[in-house]
Amino acid sequence: MQAIERKLGRIFQITIEEGEDLFEELNRFVEAKNIRAGSVFVFGAMHTVDMISGFRSLKGFDVDRRRFEDRRELVGVGNISWPDSPPAALGDVSWDGPRPFVHIHMALSGGAGKNEEVLVGHLSGAGVQKAFVEIYEYV
């Protein structure tokens, strides 16, 4: 086991409004506030959701990517880091040195009339209806 002791820094409560992109807003906020490490908690309603719902095989990064374009409820938890290169979950993107990466795992409702169906996985994109986010900075 490996452990790092940290202290709690600033705490932010953020509301993301309709039509905004969840990751765009979070990454912009994290960079502007220079939050180098922390935990993220998010819940709300999304118009669109992109997710990685699991691995199709154990060969490389062979994942099942899904997109939903109907309104769904979402709850997620994650962390903030500043990697030197892009995480595999982002796919083929350009990356110019350390930059904020908000990593969120989530539970997603099945959509209207399918409330008993819940998906879990890695959140890779979301168009917001209304979202509430808490960020706990580690120092």
Side-chain angles (χ1 to χ4, degrees):
M1 180 171 89
Q2 183 180 359
I4 298 172
E5 182 175 347
R6 300 211 186 231
K7 294 186 187 284
L8 190 59
R10 300 170 292 177
I11 299 171
F12 300 97
Q13 292 182 314
I14 304 163
T15 302
I16 300 177
E17 300 294 340
E18 180 160 359
E20 294 178 325
D21 179 275
L22 182 73
F23 282 110
E24 235 176 66
E25 296 301 320
L26 288 180
N27 284 320
R28 183 178 12 248
F29 184 84
V30 166
E31 187 167 25
K33 296 294 185 180
N34 196 31
I35 303 168
R36 304 307 284 192
S39 291
V40 178
F41 301 89
V42 59
F43 67 95
M46 308 297 152
H47 284 298
T48 59
V49 174
D50 294 311
M51 71 177 289
I52 297 172
S53 59
F55 287 90
R56 289 188 296 235
S57 73
L58 297 178
K59 297 175 184 165
F61 201 74
D62 183 20
V63 295
D64 182 21
R65 293 185 184 270
R66 297 183 184 201
R67 179 173 180 86
F68 301 96
E69 296 182 352
D70 53 347
R71 192 162 116 189
R72 293 176 180 238
E73 298 293 320
L74 179 144
V75 61
V77 61
N79 68 315
I80 296 167
S81 63
W82 286 64
D84 292 328
S85 57
L90 294 180
D92 187 22
V93 297
S94 62
W95 200 270
D96 54 359
R99 55 196 270 201
F101 176 63
V102 177
H103 179 209
I104 298 175
H105 283 256
M106 53 94 184
L108 181 69
S109 71
K114 300 177 183 176
N115 295 327
E116 70 285 353
E117 296 178 20
V118 175
L119 294 168
V120 295
H122 172 91
L123 181 62
S124 53
V128 173
Q129 166 91 30
K130 185 85 162 193
F132 303 96
V133 179
E134 291 183 352
I135 295 177
Y136 294 82
E137 177 186 41
Y138 303 141
V139 292

